[in-house]
Amino acid sequence: MTDAQPDPADAEVPDLPTTSWAVLGMLSHADELSGYDLKKWADSSLQFFYWSPSFSQIYAELKRLEKHGYASSRTVLQEDGVRGKRMYAITASGRAAAAHWVNHAPVEAPVLKHSVMLRAWLGHLAEPDRLREILTEHIGYAERMRGLAEADAATEQPQRPYPAAVLRWCVRHYEAEAEFGRELLADVDKGAAKITRKARSRAS
């Protein structure tokens, strides 16, 4: 990662959590979005490379963004004329703050916390069949995620080329994850066979 240079505007931009900037960034792609719209889009985009916040987290961030003047909201009546839906929009200061964050905030290196790899690393403590099951399930998970990312990339709106490009990256990421899983499973099988041969040699 390159070292971020201090910017004079830093003092004017509050230190918000990354989730705030993610929600604000989603708002920057549309005229108005509801909390439901944001959750649906997060589930079909953000979840593949970052994380999908819950409804409660989304609404908490929207409240925070409104407090800072980065988002505004209005209630729109539904067709029944009774129920109201709250719609949120990014403000000019919100767009400027989001652009400042993208361009000037320090870029943190990705942190990999891979519980499947931790179990494989401790494979000498695992039951062989169970370890194979864990790895096989992980390969299946990666293949499912690849399929979902591919489907969502194909339906991403043409006016949002950057999210579509990231989704295509996610497709390749999960393809590689599945392939790495298959290679690791083969290595685990070889290791297990070697241990078995050594055990038999000692017993004879």
Side-chain angles (χ1 to χ4, degrees), residues 23 26-27 33-47 51-59 62:
V23 172
M26 284 193 285
L27 289 176
L33 292 169
S34 67
Y36 174 80
D37 295 329
L38 289 165
K39 173 60 176 170
K40 185 178 178 182
W41 193 19
D43 286 346
S44 65
S45 188
L46 285 182
Q47 72 151 331
W51 157 72
S52 184
S54 65
F55 276 112
S56 61
Q57 289 168 321
I58 286 174
Y59 285 114
L62 288 169

Side-chain angles (χ1 to χ4, degrees), residues 9-16 21 70 96-98 100-101:
D10 283 341
E12 303 170 12
V13 178
D15 184 18
L16 300 179
W21 298 115
Y70 291 165
H100 180 274
W101 181 83

Side-chain angles (χ1 to χ4, degrees), residues 38-200:
L38 289 165
K39 173 60 176 170
K40 185 178 178 182
W41 193 19
D43 286 346
S44 65
S45 188
L46 285 182
Q47 72 151 331
F48 294 111
F49 61 91
Y50 182 63
W51 157 72
S52 184
S54 65
F55 276 112
S56 61
Q57 289 168 321
I58 286 174
Y59 285 114
E61 295 305 337
L62 288 169
K63 186 176 180 180
R64 190 201 307 267
L65 293 170
E66 282 195 284
K67 179 182 176 182
H68 286 286
Y70 291 165
S72 61
S73 66
R74 67 188 183 100
T75 300
V76 178
L77 289 180
Q78 304 281 55
E79 292 182 359
D80 58 15
V82 178
R83 293 175 300 159
K85 180 169 66 171
R86 202 154 191 79
M87 302 296 294
Y88 295 85
I90 193 170
T91 63
S93 61
R95 185 175 291 274
H100 180 274
W101 181 83
V102 168
N103 290 292
H104 300 292
V107 180
E108 299 176 351
V111 177
L112 182 62
K113 295 173 68 176
H114 207 309
S115 63
V116 175
M117 294 305 103
L118 182 57
R119 282 165 173 78
W121 189 70
L122 296 171
H124 63 292
L125 302 176
E127 297 173 3
D129 288 344
R130 177 55 183 150
L131 183 55
R132 291 193 91 266
E133 182 181 27
I134 289 171
L135 291 173
T136 301
E137 288 175 355
H138 177 65
I139 293 166
Y141 161 79
E143 290 174 338
R144 286 194 302 276
M145 292 294 283
R146 182 209 59 78
L148 291 171
E150 189 171 49
D152 288 328
T155 58
E156 184 57 86
Q157 297 178 21
Q159 65 269 31
R160 299 197 294 230
Y162 295 107
V166 170
L167 281 172
R168 288 192 291 274
W169 174 89
C170 292
V171 171
R172 295 190 293 273
H173 167 78
Y174 285 108
E175 282 178 346
E177 184 75 4
E179 182 58 30
F180 292 157
R182 285 188 284 268
E183 291 176 2
L184 179 58
L185 183 56
D187 287 341
V188 164
D189 284 342
K190 288 177 185 176
K194 187 182 295 185
I195 290 171
T196 299
R197 284 196 299 271
K198 283 184 178 180
R200 286 175 180 170

